[in-house]
Amino acid sequence: MSINKGNTRKILAGAGLILTTIIWGSSFVVMKNSVDLIPPCYLLALRFTVAAVCMLAVFWPQNKGMSRKDIQYGAILGIFLFTSYVFQTYGLKYTTASKNAFITTLYVIIVPFLHWAFNRKRPSGRNLVAAVLAVIGLALLSLEGDMGINLGDFLTLICGIFFAVHIVFIDRYTEEHSPVRLTTMQMITSAVLGWILAPALDGKMDMGILNTSLILGLLYLGIFSTMIGFLLQNVGQKYLSPNTSSILLSFESVFGLTFSVILLGDPLTAKLLLGCAMMFGAVIISEYNPKKKQQGGMKWENPSL
């Protein structure tokens, strides 16, 4: 099998996005414990503040001399990201967790068309088939019970649209700008927006609730789920198309299910296994294209790149 340098980068980028979804999937358990105690917008403000401080501390040399464009584009990404989180969080107040998870990840089907509209890169038939297969898989993993539409579902759909825009614009901005600087500005912007909006949306927060367990949870959310997760996303998307990236990122549902089964004792059914299989099938369809024999082997490629 012939794998050139460019394909090696894509494989490593894909592995980075999968690692991101493993981290995000594991954070569901932490979020479940934190969101019951901390008002939603304050929770977002705290986790993004932790991430911003750590990005500045760890990557100070890379962030020195940040250009006006780095600041501008990172801030735009931060606005998209924070807005998606706010709509997802408040959508969850009015709908079920399963519907919230499914509707959020509908960005899988939205991204190819936004990528076409904003970046003038038309999706291939393979991209669209993979997106539809992923959505069916996500439905099997997430949906259960009431299928009616309510306010929470509408708010969550807005979240999915903003997250799709976020993915598409990462592709645009990382072509010429440092993923580290963009990630740093995303975290700073999201933290600032969180502290501005939290008093208006959630009132006053009782800081006395912050015990050792809760602080450790916030550090995990801020450092791993937020800083490392979005840094890996920005770096990975530099080498992968938004179409493929959106499918890989939607594996958050797969790993969220996995950790729920392992840590919370949730049952593993044939329906969930079929959903996981369809998700893996979507990745294969999107990313693996058998070509004519070329230097005695097969070639990995993304037809949209």
Side-chain angles (χ1 to χ4, degrees):
M1 180 178 288
S2 174
I3 303 180
N4 60 32
K5 186 176 180 180
N7 288 326
T8 300
R9 287 177 177 172
K10 292 177 186 177
I11 292 171
L12 291 174
L17 292 185
I18 288 295
L19 178 57
T20 297
T21 64
I22 293 174
I23 295 171
W24 287 349
S26 68
S27 72
F28 279 132
V29 178
V30 181
M31 281 290 290
K32 183 177 178 63
N33 294 329
S34 300
V35 78
D36 291 337
L37 299 174
I38 303 177
C41 209
Y42 280 106
L43 179 58
L44 294 179
L46 286 166
R47 68 183 286 182
F48 281 116
T49 298
V50 170
V53 170
C54 290
M55 283 296 300
L56 288 170
V58 175
F59 298 102
W60 179 251
Q62 292 91 330
N63 284 315
K64 286 175 64 176
M66 191 180 291
S67 70
R68 184 172 62 84
K69 288 294 185 182
D70 290 328
I71 296 172
Q72 176 186 339
Y73 294 153
I76 291 171
L77 292 176
I79 292 170
F80 291 147
L81 178 63
F82 183 79
T83 303
S84 69
Y85 266 90
V86 169
F87 276 105
Q88 182 186 43
T89 303
Y90 285 94
L92 188 56
K93 292 178 65 174
Y94 303 102
T95 191
T96 63
S98 61
K99 288 171 71 178
N100 183 268
F102 172 70
I103 295 170
T104 297
T105 46
L106 285 180
Y107 62 72
V108 170
I109 202 74
I110 299 170
V111 163
F113 297 100
L114 288 180
H115 188 38
W116 186 7
F118 286 117
N119 297 335
R120 300 291 186 263
K121 295 179 182 178
R122 185 174 182 174
S124 69
R126 180 176 284 107
N127 292 142
L128 297 179
V129 170
V132 171
L133 188 62
V135 168
I136 296 173
L138 289 166
L140 290 172
L141 290 174
S142 305
L143 293 183
E144 56 186 31
D146 178 31
M147 293 295 105
I149 304 298
N150 56 39
L151 175 61
D153 300 331
F154 177 71
L155 295 176
T156 307
L157 179 60
I158 296 175
C159 155
I161 292 171
F162 271 99
F163 200 71
V165 173
H166 178 252
I167 291 173
V168 170
F169 274 79
I170 286 176
D171 179 73
R172 174 183 291 188
Y173 293 152
T174 53
E175 285 185 359
E176 298 180 359
H177 295 269
S178 162
V180 170
R181 292 180 175 181
L182 292 175
T183 303
T184 301
M185 279 308 305
Q186 279 186 87
M187 301 301 101
I188 293 173
T189 302
S190 297
V192 170
L193 290 173
W195 289 115
I196 291 174
L197 292 177
L201 295 176
D202 294 331
K204 186 178 179 181
M205 176 182 166
D206 178 13
M207 301 302 288
I209 65 173
L210 295 177
N211 54 38
T212 302
S213 175
L214 201 53
I215 290 173
L216 289 175
L218 286 171
L219 289 175
Y220 180 84
L221 289 174
I223 296 172
F224 290 94
S225 182
T226 308
M227 183 188 84
I228 295 177
F230 287 109
L231 180 60
L232 287 173
Q233 179 188 356
N234 288 350
V235 172
Q237 279 201 235
K238 191 175 181 71
Y239 303 103
L240 293 172
S241 77
N243 306 325
T244 298
S245 298
S246 65
I247 293 175
L248 291 174
L249 290 172
S250 68
F251 267 66
E252 178 183 358
S253 296
V254 174
F255 291 110
L257 164 68
T258 302
F259 283 105
S260 294
V261 170
I262 295 173
L263 300 178
L264 302 179
D266 289 355
L268 182 62
T269 65
K271 170 175 167 282
L272 298 179
L273 289 173
L274 178 59
C276 290
M278 296 187 78
M279 292 292 296
F280 281 104
V283 173
I284 293 172
I285 291 173
S286 174
E287 195 62 19
Y288 185 65
N289 184 24
K291 306 289 288 184
K292 293 180 180 179
K293 286 189 176 181
Q294 200 173 58
Q295 297 179 351
M298 303 291 284
K299 183 180 179 181
W300 284 84
E301 74 164 13
N302 183 344
S304 65
L305 290 175

